[in-house]
Amino acid sequence: QKEVEQDPGPLSVPEGAIVSLNCTYSNSAFQYFMWYRQYSRKGPELLMYTYSSGNKEDGRFTAQVDKSSKYISLFIRDSQPSDSATYLCAMQHPGRRALTFGSGTRLQVQP
Amino acid sequence: GAGVSQSPRYKVAKRGQDVALRCDPISGHVSLFWYQQALGQGPEFLTYFQNEAQLDKSGLPSDRFFAERPEGSVSTLKIQRTQQEDSAVYLCASSSKGQSLSNQPQHFGDGTRLSIL
């Protein structure tokens, strides 16, 4: 079993919809949680970073971390066709620099 | 440019050949990382440098994989006697400090797509 599980999708939504992306994890030592966006043939681009449990909002994006359930989420409001990409969750525990990624969820926003 | 630069963008090699992949991190970034991304998967950690010191190489899949960063700037990932299972995108990332992640995200390049025939 992988340390980080993520539904690969694809997830197809109409423009303007609220999108919910999720990851679960098994390693309770993870303290830092990130969401990256990756367009085709491009490198991952950091969207959101949170430390431990709680919520963080940045524009149309909201990241949530529930450490008790080992569950993290990314919400995208008013989704746009330009949001069509693969979304990767990533995690890190203190003392180790390596990131552990989920397998990514492919999102398609239909105009 | 201001971002992480990787070259070549695409590399095709025959099984058994050696390949070398280059990473130019963001200027002044102390930490440098290599990841391997298989098709349809998330990146998997290979190795990490702080300046010229290789502090973690636990993700290197075999002794055919070797990475160096001799002057603490540009890094090269070398794969000897390539196998078909080495086909993947190799991503390089850098961040500005050697301490904990807080406020120091890893910035990724666009990767080298390696195909082994």
Side-chain angles (χ1 to χ4, degrees):
Chain A
Q1 186 183 4
K2 291 185 176 181
E3 279 189 292
V4 180
E5 297 283 353
Q6 185 174 10
D7 188 330
L11 178 63
S12 184
V13 301
E15 184 175 354
I18 296 175
V19 175
S20 172
L21 303 165
N22 312 293
C23 287
T24 58
Y25 62 96
S26 56
N27 188 343
S28 58
F30 287 134
Q31 293 285 345
Y32 303 98
F33 303 91
M34 289 134 275
W35 285 95
Y36 283 83
R37 177 176 62 195
Q38 187 173 29
Y39 291 113
S40 181
R41 300 187 182 272
K42 292 290 189 180
E45 170 195 2
L46 183 68
L47 287 176
M48 299 289 285
Y49 154 66
T50 52
Y51 170 69
S52 197
S53 285
N55 293 358
K56 183 173 183 178
E57 188 174 321
D58 185 359
R60 296 186 295 113
F61 300 92
T62 299
Q64 288 185 351
V65 174
D66 181 350
K67 289 195 68 185
S68 62
S69 301
K70 299 190 180 69
Y71 187 88
I72 70 170
S73 301
L74 178 70
F75 298 95
I76 307 174
R77 289 182 298 281
D78 186 25
S79 56
Q80 303 295 310
S82 58
D83 294 328
S84 298
T86 296
Y87 289 79
L88 296 156
C89 62
M91 307 181 187
Q92 186 195 23
H93 55 71
R96 190 156 189 254
R97 299 301 312 280
L99 299 181
T100 302
F101 283 86
S103 57
T105 298
R106 189 174 155 213
L107 171 67
Q108 187 119 24
V109 181
Q110 305 290 348
Chain B
V4 176
S5 178
Q6 293 187 247
S7 61
R9 287 296 316 278
Y10 302 92
K11 176 70 178 177
V12 179
K14 292 183 179 178
R15 186 164 54 93
Q17 288 182 330
D18 298 348
V19 298
L21 313 179
R22 177 188 169 104
C23 173
D24 269 289
I26 293 171
S27 179
H29 275 195
V30 167
S31 301
L32 185 145
F33 306 81
W34 284 98
Y35 291 83
Q36 180 190 60
Q37 187 173 24
L39 188 64
Q41 300 297 316
E44 292 200 356
F45 171 77
L46 293 176
T47 189
Y48 156 60
F49 290 86
Q50 183 171 322
N51 295 305
E52 69 278 3
Q54 190 174 17
L55 297 186
D56 186 347
K57 53 181 180 180
S58 61
L60 296 175
S62 78
D63 59 7
R64 297 186 296 105
F65 286 72
F66 173 76
E68 60 183 4
R69 195 186 185 199
E71 297 177 358
S73 178
V74 170
S75 177
T76 303
L77 176 67
K78 298 179 180 177
I79 309 173
Q80 298 176 322
R81 305 181 303 280
T82 52
Q83 304 293 319
Q84 280 192 320
E85 61 262 28
D86 300 335
S87 296
V89 176
Y90 290 85
L91 294 164
C92 178
S94 69
S95 68
S96 60
K97 288 185 179 179
Q99 296 94 334
S100 66
L101 177 64
S102 180
N103 296 321
Q104 305 299 337
Q106 294 183 26
H107 300 274
F108 284 82
D110 287 337
T112 294
R113 187 174 296 268
L114 176 64
S115 297
I116 305 300
L117 305 179

